[in-house]
Amino acid sequence: MLRLYGNRSVKSIKEKKQEEQEITLLQSKASVNSPNFAILEKLKQEMKKLREMKAAIQPIGKFIPPDDVDLPSSSGADLNNVDL
């Protein structure tokens, strides 16, 4: 939750505005009836950044329930049998 909504998740206004201007500039380079390769390249870079960020996140550990807690053995996916 902190990663998504914490203080560090908010980019500075200057950085945000600069990124928006960069994308607007790339949009102006578009040709009629052809793909905008500049926008596609920017998208590719952003997707790589996102993949690297996700790869850098390591799980804290594996959940092991206490011995006195019984977990359900089957899923609740069988909705054809409903007790009323």
Side-chain angles (χ1 to χ4, degrees):
M1 294 295 282
L2 289 175
R3 232 180 288 151
L4 293 175
Y5 302 110
N7 291 340
R8 295 182 183 173
S9 68
V10 180
K11 290 184 179 181
S12 72
I13 296 172
K14 186 177 180 181
E15 287 176 347
K16 210 174 204 180
K17 201 168 217 175
Q18 183 180 5
E19 286 180 359
E20 288 174 3
Q21 287 176 347
E22 182 181 344
I23 292 171
T24 304
L25 181 66
L26 292 175
Q27 287 174 338
S28 66
K29 293 181 180 180
S31 301
V32 178
N33 295 330
S34 67
N36 188 339
F37 292 107
I39 291 283
L40 291 173
E41 186 61 34
K42 177 69 175 171
L43 179 61
K44 186 177 176 181
Q45 290 172 0
E46 293 299 319
M47 297 286 283
K48 283 182 180 180
K49 276 193 223 175
L50 184 61
R51 182 179 64 202
E52 290 170 3
M53 284 175 38
K54 284 188 175 187
I57 298 171
Q58 297 293 326
I60 295 172
K62 185 176 179 181
F63 175 71
I64 301 173
D67 293 333
D68 60 339
V69 175
D70 292 329
L71 296 176
S73 59
S74 63
S75 70
D78 187 17
L79 300 177
N80 293 329
N81 300 326
V82 178
D83 293 330
L84 299 176

